[in-house]
Amino acid sequence: MGEVLDNLLERYAERVATRRVVIEPGAVSRLGALLKSHFDEPRKFLVLADANTWDAAGRAVASALEAEKLPFQTLILEPRRGQAKLHPDERLVEQTAERLRETGALGLAVGAGTINDVTKAASFNLDRPYAVVATAPSMNGWTSAIAAVVVNGLKMTLSSRAPVLVVGDLDILARAPERMVGAGFADLTAKWVAAGDWRLADRLVGSGYDPEVEEISKAAIELLDGWEEGVAERRPEALERLMEALCISGLSMAVAGSSAHISGAEHLFSHYIDMMLPEVSERELHGRQVGIGTLCSAALYEQLLRWSPDDLDIEACIASRPPWEMRRKAIERHFGHLASVVIGQVTAIPTEGPKLRARLERLVSLWPELREELAEAVAPRALIEEKLRKAGAPTHYGELGLDGRQAVEILEWAGDIRNRYTILHLAAEIGRLQWWARDAIGRFGQK
Ligand SMILES: [Zn+2]
């Protein structure tokens, strides 16, 4: 194990900041030595954790640093008053950056998504390297050069720099809550549909496609083929594969300089929940939300693959778009205080008559070829559902505490929160979004 990842780290050494990923039982006991070999003097660290991750691994990390006589301080991050969950927002990034600045220390994140993102963003702002000790294989951001941070209430993916060292101690990862393990697996399944959005966006808005990046993200997901039950049972080899796959997936983002190939409409589904349904996201996990988004997206793709441009009346599509002023008012009503950030994203994809006409004409002329590409890139909904179920991830929106009306609403509005073209945008432009969204949600729970 580990060769695929090690080879990639070597091959892309010039393009990625990560020098080493260690995934093995008892890895934390080697932490001191690893830090010494990957960081220059003076080596002072700021251990960042929250109450849960401190319990999971913080103490073991502190002992490992003491054993090697590495000086460190600790910062336990706390949720905002009245919130149960820690959110990676600008307040935490600033708080972390301030402590790093004061102490002159390097960040040593002990945690999963939130702690890693906060430490990554704060370290990047100060132009300092950092390291992370993973407490749960719950998402693929370990080795990515992007930090997901909530800015003005909107989850943004900020350019950043990956950690120099990632330590995944299998003894610690095996104790991670079951739902976090399922979440990590589900975050990876996004690739099965996001690859379709990536092709679509490249063909219709020219946003770029890179077969090399596609190969890397494929290598990640292939590592888990047939290991779904092992993941649910948290068997050591399955967790090792999961953690390696998550790191390869993150690395593919660092190589691409973007997350477009593994983050499309299914991630917008999750980001929309974080933004607009805090009562859901407060008790949920990114990956679990993404898994349900992936099933929705796969259902939308099944509709698109059955669709034919013979049914398309381009002039009618253009004529039926509401005038911008009306649309702006609708966005203001729906998104309230978040409307101005949303409007900034919406206006970044031009939809005025001539631009939309050109895009739809392109869709028609490319369709036979594009349809084939999409059919190859996107996995069938039933297959994804089976994998998610076996891996212990949710397969029904009700498991997130959403009702059908909310789920449809998410699909109808999520395209507006980001300027990345996806099937949600295309479906809206060809006048099918409302119908396809209802159909996609109606298919949950059906045999
Ligand atoms: Zn994700």
Side-chain angles (χ1 to χ4, degrees):
M1 282 301 294
E3 308 92 66
V4 184
L5 181 54
D6 288 345
N7 289 341
L8 288 168
L9 286 175
E10 206 180 303
R11 187 179 332 149
Y12 295 105
E14 309 247 306
R15 281 153 80 177
V16 301
T18 306
R19 299 275 77 95
R20 187 89 188 271
V21 177
V22 179
I23 306 169
E24 61 188 31
V28 163
S29 64
R30 290 174 55 202
L31 180 64
L34 288 165
L35 290 171
K36 280 183 177 169
S37 65
H38 291 285
F39 291 89
D40 297 331
E41 299 260 25
R43 298 183 202 96
K44 263 199 298 192
F45 293 93
L46 178 64
V47 176
L48 289 128
D50 66 16
N52 294 329
T53 66
W54 178 260
D55 279 346
R59 283 186 198 90
V61 164
S63 317
L65 295 176
E66 278 157 8
E68 289 285 333
K69 301 197 168 40
L70 284 166
F72 68 94
Q73 291 188 22
T74 303
L75 175 59
I76 306 291
L77 300 170
E78 284 171 17
R80 277 180 199 267
R81 201 180 298 244
Q83 287 184 344
K85 190 168 141 184
L86 200 64
H87 295 282
D89 57 14
E90 62 268 64
R91 172 193 68 107
L92 283 186
V93 172
E94 195 31 57
Q95 187 193 353
T96 301
E98 210 175 290
R99 271 296 286 280
L100 288 170
R101 209 179 291 125
E102 272 167 28
T103 55
L106 301 174
L108 176 52
V110 176
T114 301
I115 308 271
N116 184 49
D117 277 328
V118 167
T119 311
K120 190 190 286 183
S123 301
F124 181 70
N125 290 349
L126 298 177
D127 195 20
R128 288 187 196 165
Y130 84 102
V132 59
V133 174
T135 52
S138 56
M139 52 92 223
N140 64 355
W142 308 110
T143 46
S144 79
I146 303 164
V149 177
V150 181
V151 182
N152 297 325
L154 192 68
K155 184 74 103 30
M156 311 276 279
T157 43
L158 307 178
S159 287
S160 196
R161 194 186 301 124
V164 169
L165 172 69
V166 180
V167 175
D169 185 323
L170 290 171
D171 299 332
I172 292 169
L173 298 179
R175 289 195 296 267
E178 223 168 285
R179 42 193 267 125
M180 294 190 87
V181 178
F185 182 90
D187 202 13
L188 287 170
T189 60
K191 191 240 170 273
W192 294 120
V193 288
D197 286 339
W198 195 32
R199 297 290 180 105
L200 209 57
D202 178 48
R203 295 299 198 150
L204 299 181
V205 297
S207 47
Y209 172 78
D210 182 346
E212 205 176 326
V213 169
E214 171 66 16
E215 276 309 302
I216 305 173
S217 64
K218 228 186 218 157
I221 194 135
E222 279 169 1
L223 269 181
L224 288 163
D225 243 355
W227 286 86
E228 295 84 1
E229 281 108 338
V231 166
E233 290 160 11
R234 289 182 284 177
R235 295 216 304 265
E237 189 178 346
L239 289 184
E240 189 177 350
R241 283 174 178 268
L242 175 59
M243 188 64 192
E244 185 177 353
L246 290 166
C247 288
I248 293 173
S249 174
L251 191 78
S252 74
M253 291 190 260
V255 170
S258 156
S259 61
H261 56 292
I262 44 174
S263 168
E266 77 300 325
H267 270 75
L268 296 183
F269 185 92
S270 174
H271 296 336
Y272 182 96
I273 294 175
D274 295 340
M275 253 175 91
M276 298 294 287
L277 300 165
E279 68 285 4
V280 174
S281 77
E282 195 58 29
R283 34 162 219 272
E284 267 312 329
L285 294 164
H286 167 80
R288 285 166 52 93
Q289 295 174 176
V290 166
I292 298 300
T294 299
L295 292 174
C296 293
S297 214
L300 296 176
Y301 268 105
E302 288 182 358
Q303 284 283 7
L304 179 63
L305 294 175
R306 282 199 294 270
W307 172 85
S308 153
D310 299 345
D311 306 337
L312 185 68
D313 179 343
I314 293 179
E315 293 315 314
C317 288
I318 294 168
S320 69
R321 301 284 292 182
W324 170 243
E325 202 41 34
M326 205 194 232
R327 187 141 153 63
R328 190 176 60 80
K329 289 215 170 89
I331 291 172
E332 280 169 359
R333 271 196 308 277
H334 186 80
F335 287 98
H337 71 285
L338 296 169
S340 62
V341 272
V342 172
I343 287 168
Q345 301 295 314
V346 170
T347 49
I349 300 177
T351 51
E352 62 272 23
K355 289 269 170 56
L356 181 56
R357 182 177 295 110
R359 187 149 65 237
L360 295 179
E361 282 169 0
R362 220 174 139 63
L363 171 69
V364 173
S365 69
L366 289 173
W367 185 243
E369 200 185 316
L370 177 58
R371 192 197 168 280
E372 252 177 54
E373 279 181 24
L374 295 175
E376 204 194 299
V378 176
R381 187 190 184 285
L383 177 75
I384 301 172
E385 188 183 339
E386 192 195 327
K387 284 178 180 290
L388 288 171
R389 180 175 299 117
K390 282 185 181 167
T395 55
H396 195 287
Y397 57 81
E399 291 172 74
L400 305 180
L402 292 169
D403 62 31
R405 188 191 50 81
Q406 286 172 311
V408 169
E409 177 191 305
I410 298 170
L411 293 180
E412 286 180 349
W413 289 93
D416 286 348
I417 65 172
R418 188 154 191 200
N419 61 0
R420 180 175 283 170
Y421 197 82
T422 67
I423 189 160
L424 296 171
H425 300 81
L426 175 66
E429 290 176 356
I430 59 175
R432 298 299 168 106
L433 181 59
Q434 293 189 337
W435 160 241
W436 287 1
R438 276 171 183 71
D439 171 77
I441 298 308
R443 291 184 52 193
F444 280 91
Q446 282 179 10
K447 282 282 156 234

